Amino acid sequence: MAVLCGSLTAFAQAEEGFGIEANPMAGRVFKHTKRFLGPIPPVSGGLDLNFLWKTRGNKDWQYRRHFPTVGIGITYTSYDRQYYGQGIGFYPNLELPLIRGNRLEWCMRFGMGLGYISKHYTRYAPDYDTLNNAIGGHINNFSLLASDLRLHLNKHWDVQAGINFTHMSSAKFRLPNLGINLLAGHIGVRYFPNTSSPARREKKVPALSNRWLLQFRQGIAMSTGESIGSTATPVYLSALYISKRYWSKNKVFAGIDYSYHESLYNFQRLQGIHPGDEKQYAWKSGVYAGHEFLYGHVGLMMQIGVYIHQAILPSPLLYEKLGMNWYLLQSESGIVKECWISTLLKTHYSTAELAELGVGVSF
C-alpha cells in the first residue's frame, strides 16, 4: 500500500496538468413525469470527486478542441433513507470551456457511465416498496451534466461554484425505469500537485476534408417489456445514415433507424393479439437528425427523431439518443473509413427507454 501511494504521489507531482477536484452538492429530486409516485425528499446531497487531466496538445484533436480537460469521476449521492437510498456513479467525463480568462473561466462538463443505487421497487415481503416506481434494480445508467464558474487562485488551487444535473435509471432493463433526476448546486476546490497550466506543445495541425460518409450501425438492448417482473428480452436496432464532417472536428448526420422488440412479440402471443402477424406489430422505425462532437477516438453523439412506424404499444412521437462512439478505426483513405463501438441511451423526453450497445462502420 505504501508503495502504491508513493507511486501515485510521484505520478501526480511529475504529470503536468493532473488534478483532483471535490464538489460537495445539495439539491432536490424532481418529478419529471406524473407517473412518478414516490415522495420528494426535502433535500438530497452528496460528493462528486473527479480525477482530471488538462490536455497539452499531444494529439491533433486536442488543438482542434482548444485543449479540453478529461476526467474520471466518482459521485456519491444520498437521496434519502427510506425510499431511494444512496447512489454511486462512476463515469468518464469531458469538460468544455465556454469562456476562458486568466483568472476566471466558465465551463460545462458531461459524463456518462454506470451507477449503483441501494433501494429499488419491490413487491415482495419483507422489503416491499411499491411507492418507489422510479428505479427497478440496483445497476443503472448514470449521467451527469454540470456547469461551473471557476476562479484560479494560483497554479495549484482553484475554487468553483455551479449547478449539476444527475440522472440514474435502468433504461428499461429493469422496470420500473422512470429514473431519478437530481438538480443540485455545488461548491468545490481543485488541486494540481504540479501545475494547472501545463506547457502546450506547439505544432501545425492539418485541416481535414469536409467529407461525406455512408454509415451503418447495428445494436442490441435488453428490455423487460411492459410488465414489472417480466424476463428481459432482446431489442435489435439498426441505423443507416449519411454524415458530413465540418471544421475537422464535428459531424452532422441524418438517416433512418429500425428496432425490433421481442417483448412486444411475446406480449401479443400471450394476449392472443394479431395471431400469426405478431412480428408486424413488434417493430418501430423513425427518421432522425443529429450531431457528433469528435474528440480523437471518442465521439459525443446526440440525435432527435420522429417515428414513422409505431409498434402495437405506441410511444411518444419524438425520441432522442445520447451517448458515445468509441472509434477502433479512423482513416482518411480506403473503402472503410471508420469502425466503432457505440454506447447509447434512448429516451422519450426525460424518460429512458433503452441502453444500446452497438457496432458501426462507415464508407
Side-chain angles (χ1 to χ4, degrees):
M1 181 62 71
V3 173
L4 176 60
C5 292
S7 300
L8 290 174
T9 302
F11 169 79
Q13 292 174 346
E15 183 67 17
E16 290 188 358
F18 171 79
I20 303 173
E21 70 175 318
N23 297 297
M25 58 184 184
R28 291 199 71 187
V29 173
F30 64 91
K31 293 188 177 184
H32 54 286
T33 171
K34 62 183 180 181
R35 292 181 293 157
F36 194 114
L37 299 179
I40 298 299
V43 64
S44 300
L47 179 66
D48 178 46
L49 295 176
N50 192 30
F51 301 88
L52 54 100
W53 291 263
K54 291 197 170 185
T55 57
R56 299 189 294 163
N58 296 334
K59 304 291 185 181
D60 289 355
W61 70 266
Q62 298 172 6
Y63 278 87
R64 297 188 179 108
R65 285 294 172 192
H66 305 292
F67 310 98
T69 301
V70 297
I72 299 292
I74 302 174
T75 295
Y76 165 79
T77 307
S78 176
Y79 296 104
D80 71 353
R81 291 182 177 272
Q82 184 175 1
Y83 296 104
Y84 312 112
Q86 288 77 47
I88 297 175
F90 176 82
Y91 61 101
N93 59 84
L94 182 68
E95 181 184 288
L96 307 177
L98 300 177
I99 299 176
R100 180 180 283 170
N102 292 330
R103 296 294 304 277
L104 282 172
E105 71 174 3
W106 178 32
C107 65
M108 297 288 293
R109 182 161 62 99
F110 167 79
M112 180 180 289
L114 289 176
Y116 172 88
I117 195 164
S118 61
K119 291 182 177 292
H120 60 81
Y121 179 99
T122 177
R123 53 186 178 184
Y124 303 107
D127 300 319
Y128 63 88
D129 178 6
T130 56
L131 274 181
N132 178 8
N133 70 332
I135 297 293
H138 289 301
I139 305 302
N140 293 269
N141 163 269
F142 178 82
S143 301
L144 176 142
L145 178 64
S147 179
D148 285 292
L149 184 63
R150 183 172 297 114
L151 174 65
H152 304 296
L153 300 178
N154 52 49
K155 71 175 185 177
H156 296 292
W157 290 97
D158 296 342
V159 294
Q160 60 208 22
I163 58 175
N164 59 41
F165 166 83
T166 60
H167 171 80
M168 184 92 75
S169 82
S170 60
K172 216 174 181 181
F173 181 72
R174 286 285 181 267
L175 287 182
N177 71 314
L178 297 178
I180 297 181
N181 294 334
L182 174 67
L183 184 63
H186 64 264
I187 57 174
V189 296
R190 279 184 170 183
Y191 173 67
F192 296 86
N194 190 310
T195 177
S196 62
S197 301
R200 294 172 179 174
R201 300 183 180 182
E202 297 298 328
K203 62 189 297 187
K204 186 175 181 180
V205 178
L208 301 178
S209 64
N210 295 331
R211 68 184 184 184
W212 291 87
L213 292 177
L214 176 65
Q215 304 195 208
F216 174 76
R217 184 179 69 245
Q218 180 64 47
I220 189 171
M222 299 297 292
S223 171
T224 53
E226 306 305 318
S227 301
I228 294 174
S230 60
T231 302
T233 56
V235 179
Y236 303 100
L237 306 103
S238 302
L240 181 66
Y241 53 105
I242 57 172
S243 69
K244 181 177 176 59
R245 185 171 59 193
Y246 70 97
W247 294 350
S248 300
K249 59 184 180 181
N250 300 314
K251 283 183 184 179
V252 290
F253 57 87
I256 186 169
D257 62 10
Y258 164 90
S259 61
Y260 176 79
H261 301 249
E262 193 168 298
S263 63
L264 296 180
Y265 172 82
N266 294 336
F267 169 76
Q268 294 174 85
R269 292 286 300 272
L270 181 64
Q271 300 295 328
I273 303 173
H274 303 126
D277 295 321
E278 295 90 351
K279 291 184 178 180
Q280 297 183 27
Y281 300 91
W283 62 276
K284 305 177 185 179
S285 184
V287 293
Y288 63 90
H291 192 279
E292 183 176 2
F293 299 93
L294 299 171
Y295 295 85
H297 292 288
V298 178
L300 302 182
M301 189 273 283
M302 57 192 70
Q303 72 176 56
I304 183 169
V306 58
Y307 287 113
I308 57 176
H309 182 276
Q310 290 268 23
I312 184 173
L313 301 177
S315 303
L317 182 63
L318 295 178
Y319 64 95
E320 307 82 33
K321 285 189 179 182
L322 176 69
M324 297 184 180
N325 294 327
W326 309 86
Y327 286 93
L328 307 176
L329 170 68
Q330 292 174 310
S331 176
E332 296 300 310
S333 61
I335 297 176
V336 178
K337 302 297 194 303
E338 298 171 339
C339 292
W340 72 91
I341 296 173
S342 59
T343 52
L344 305 174
L345 180 66
K346 181 184 178 185
T347 68
H348 294 105
Y349 305 109
S350 58
T351 301
E353 180 192 6
L354 298 171
E356 174 187 347
L357 177 65
V359 295
V361 62
S362 302
F363 304 95

